């Protein structure tokens, strides 16, 4: 059946084309659906779930992977044997549910010890403790078999501007990443790191605030190949940036190691809303990009259900995110194959100038020919591009009538 035919018994049937499946590579963190609804002003509104229950529920909804944050599973201060036992147990539970663990991470922001920073803290003792917690979480990730280790620099930043030399802070950040890269290499772990930028919150201002900052920083590392980015829709949107463009640049640089899909209104605190619930156009083009450019990594949803939801209903946020992704994927395929769209794009690409002038590949001859050629910029400027029509078609696809 095609996606436009109605399903017989609604969205839950086997033939539902938008039903999430393992091959879609959808993943969630234990902390996402497990979020208990506390915020800066109010207490938790839900009790949360045991990891085993979360795994079972997410597998039942069609997810492929479940990620963990070290403290979700065992206290990082626990003795080695206990942590190892927890890792083996989690691995077994993941396998029993037919799932994988594509990513692991460490919470370097919850405990008071990180209040002034973690890798960039001014206190060398805090920095050493941060490294210890990270190394332990990396061991855990290796034991569980997670190939990506996410580093969200939540507390890496300042409130009091005079508190740190920003150059020194970046140097410390670089040294710490260099340290853990060497550690992973020495251990022979098959792990790569993904830096997750965010402009602010919980600090007033964070280091490595956006995708661009993180990519530039990675290029200065000792082992740049081991490090990429994890871009989050909410975070780049808080910075008032176009997430689709941010993702495109990371992808083009071969640095999109992970993606945190969710949604967010601009100029607000971090909202982690259901994917596609706010910025449909950005969501549409992001899905189109990931699919058309064959992004091979996990489609992870860093989605926190609304605080209003009862425990039994938080799954709507997970299922909704996955369904919206698949609906947009199907729309993106039809959009790309639509002759009306190809006609506009194709016409805009055409030029009747001599072919050897239309290459940006340098040769002394091309440079000379270009300099001498008598262009008619007025004629070039007379072309109409029909982008009103193109964008209206985009809207009609998203609205569901194209
Ligand atoms: C945020 C962050 C986190 C991280 C997660 C894994 O809420 O701002 O995105 O959700 O992704 O803690 O490190
Ligand atoms: Mn995130």
């Amino acid at each position: 059946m095609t996606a436009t035919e109605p399903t017989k018994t609604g969205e839950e049937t086997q033939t539902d084309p938008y039903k999430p499946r393992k091959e879609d590579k959808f993943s969630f963190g234990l902390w996402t659906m497990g979020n208990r609804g506390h915020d800066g002003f109010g207490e938790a509104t839900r009790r949360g779930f045991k990891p085993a229950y979360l795994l079972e529920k997410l597998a039942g909804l069609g997810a492929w992977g479940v990620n963990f944050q070290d403290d979700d599973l065992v206290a990082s201060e626990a003795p080695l044997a206990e942590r190892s036992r927890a890792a083996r147990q989690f691995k077994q539970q993941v396998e029993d549910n037919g799932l994988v663990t594509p990513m692991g991470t460490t919470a370097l922001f919850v405990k008071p010890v990180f209040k002034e920073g973690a890798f960039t803290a001014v206190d060398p003792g805090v920095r050493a403790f941060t490294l210890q917690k990270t190394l332990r979480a990396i061991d855990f990730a290796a034991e569980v078999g997670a190939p990506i280790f996410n580093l969200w620099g939540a507390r890496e930043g300042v409130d009091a501007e005079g508190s740190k030399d920003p150059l020194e802070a970046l140097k410390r950040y670089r040294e710490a990443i260099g340290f853990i890269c060497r550690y992973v290499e020495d251990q022979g772990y098959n792990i790569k790191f993904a830096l997750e930028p965010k402009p602010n919150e919980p600090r007033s201002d964070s280091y490595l605030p956006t995708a661009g900052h993180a990519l530039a920083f990675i290029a200065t590392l000792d082992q740049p190949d081991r490090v990429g980015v994890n871009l989050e829709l909410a975070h780049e949107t808080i910075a008032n940036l176009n997430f689709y463009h941010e993702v495109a640049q990371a992808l083009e640089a071969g640095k999109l190691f992970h993606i945190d899909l969710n949604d967010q209104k601009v100029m607000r605190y971090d909202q982690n809303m259901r994917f596609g619930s706010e910025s449909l156009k950005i969501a549409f083009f992001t899905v189109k990009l990931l699919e058309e450019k064959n992004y091979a990594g996990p489609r992870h949803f860093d989605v926190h259900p609304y605080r209003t939801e009862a425990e039994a209903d938080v799954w709507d946020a997970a299922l909704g995110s996955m369904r919206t992704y698949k609906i947009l994927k199907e729309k993106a395929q039809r959009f790309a194959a639509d002759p009306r769209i190809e006609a506009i794009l194709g016409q805009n690409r055409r030029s009747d100038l001599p072919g050897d002038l239309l290459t940006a590949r340098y040769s002394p001859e091309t440079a000379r020919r270009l300099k001498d050629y008598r262009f008619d910029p007025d004629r070039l400027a007379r072309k109409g591009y029909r982008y009103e029509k193109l964008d209206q078609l985009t809207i009609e696809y998203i609205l569901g009538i194209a």
Side-chain angles (χ1 to χ4, degrees):
M1 69 176 280
T2 69
T4 44
E5 284 172 49
T7 51
K8 269 202 261 0
T9 51
E11 62 185 29
E12 307 288 340
T13 61
Q14 278 303 309
T15 49
D16 179 354
Y18 308 122
K19 188 176 159 39
R21 296 181 191 285
K22 297 264 178 279
E23 56 269 28
D24 297 319
K25 294 185 92 169
F26 292 138
S27 64
F28 292 84
L30 289 173
W31 66 91
T32 60
M33 290 307 116
N35 181 278
R36 296 173 56 220
H38 39 253
D39 62 20
F41 302 92
E43 295 172 356
T45 60
R46 296 183 287 265
R47 281 169 308 164
F49 307 106
K50 292 227 161 63
Y53 183 71
L54 277 157
L55 292 170
E56 196 188 311
K57 283 296 286 188
L58 287 166
L61 292 176
W64 157 81
V66 173
N67 303 320
F68 71 90
Q69 199 151 260
D70 50 359
D71 304 302
D72 292 339
L73 294 164
V74 63
S76 47
E77 314 84 68
L80 180 62
E82 198 181 316
R83 285 188 285 117
S84 242
R85 202 174 327 116
R88 283 196 305 274
Q89 190 191 16
F90 182 66
K91 189 166 193 260
Q92 190 60 52
Q93 289 169 338
V94 166
E95 281 170 15
D96 290 348
N97 284 289
L99 294 162
V100 296
T101 303
M103 180 262 262
T105 186
T106 172
L108 302 177
F109 47 93
V110 177
K111 302 278 192 224
V113 61
F114 300 117
K115 64 187 176 186
E116 202 278 326
F119 293 132
T120 63
V122 292
D123 182 335
V126 173
R127 297 203 297 274
F129 177 73
T130 305
L131 267 180
Q132 184 204 56
K133 188 171 194 287
T134 307
L135 295 178
R136 289 179 171 195
I138 291 171
D139 290 343
F140 198 108
E143 204 151 344
V144 166
I148 302 160
F149 194 87
N150 187 49
L151 291 167
W152 173 41
R155 304 279 172 193
E156 316 293 5
V158 293
D159 307 310
E161 205 57 84
S163 60
K164 314 182 188 179
D165 175 346
L167 270 66
E168 230 4 71
L170 285 171
K171 202 169 123 249
R172 287 175 183 147
Y173 220 156
R174 182 178 301 112
E175 276 169 8
I177 307 286
F179 190 110
I180 58 177
C181 282
R182 286 292 308 278
Y183 178 72
V184 161
E185 187 181 44
D186 275 357
Q187 298 295 314
Y189 291 159
N190 177 26
I191 287 180
K192 288 190 169 196
F193 296 101
L195 301 179
E196 182 179 352
K198 186 174 182 183
N200 58 276
E201 201 193 24
R203 303 310 296 274
S204 289
D205 285 286
S206 309
Y207 298 127
L208 308 184
T210 68
H213 294 85
L215 289 171
F217 175 77
I218 290 167
T220 71
L221 297 173
D222 284 345
Q223 297 193 42
D225 293 347
R226 206 181 271 283
V227 187
V229 291
N230 171 23
L231 299 188
E232 173 162 333
L233 197 156
H235 297 181
E236 302 301 313
T237 306
I238 295 172
N240 213 3
L241 292 169
N242 179 323
F243 182 65
Y244 165 57
H245 289 196
E246 306 296 291
V247 172
Q249 187 166 351
L251 202 56
E252 203 266 342
K255 287 296 182 192
L256 189 69
F257 287 9
H258 200 266
I259 191 162
D260 278 8
L261 299 168
N262 52 18
D263 221 331
Q264 170 75 32
K265 297 193 192 203
V266 292
M267 310 289 281
R268 282 165 171 84
Y269 57 91
D270 194 10
Q271 295 176 308
N272 296 94
M273 293 189 289
R274 196 177 71 258
F275 179 60
S277 58
E278 282 295 327
S279 352
L280 268 179
K281 206 186 217 179
I282 293 293
F284 172 75
F285 281 106
T286 301
V287 170
K288 185 169 179 293
L289 178 79
L290 297 179
E291 296 301 323
E292 287 179 357
K293 305 297 178 194
N294 300 316
Y295 165 70
R299 276 80 172 151
H300 175 85
F301 296 104
D302 198 353
V303 168
H304 298 180
Y306 299 141
R307 191 162 185 263
T308 48
E309 300 311 284
E311 271 154 30
D313 301 327
V314 296
W315 312 105
D316 289 333
L319 185 60
S321 295
M322 294 188 282
R323 283 180 60 78
T324 299
Y325 187 102
K326 293 198 75 165
I327 295 166
L328 292 175
K329 177 176 166 183
E330 187 252 343
K331 284 180 188 297
Q333 281 161 351
R334 285 197 291 113
F335 181 95
D338 188 327
R340 295 170 300 174
I341 287 161
E342 186 39 43
I344 296 173
L345 299 178
Q347 179 222 304
N348 289 340
R349 281 194 298 262
R350 273 193 290 281
S351 168
D352 54 11
L353 288 175
D356 62 334
L357 291 178
L358 300 177
T359 170
R361 209 167 310 121
Y362 176 79
S363 76
E365 173 62 10
T366 311
R368 196 190 52 73
R369 286 255 299 139
L370 261 179
K371 285 201 295 181
D372 292 347
Y373 191 78
R374 285 173 69 96
F375 280 93
D376 181 355
D378 292 335
R379 194 170 71 86
L380 287 176
R382 272 196 294 278
K383 175 148 122 188
Y385 288 82
R386 304 204 70 206
Y387 288 159
E388 286 291 358
K389 174 84 176 166
L390 177 77
D391 197 67
Q392 179 61 23
L393 282 169
T394 308
I395 295 299
E396 294 192 8
Y397 268 99
I398 293 171
L399 291 176
I401 63 156

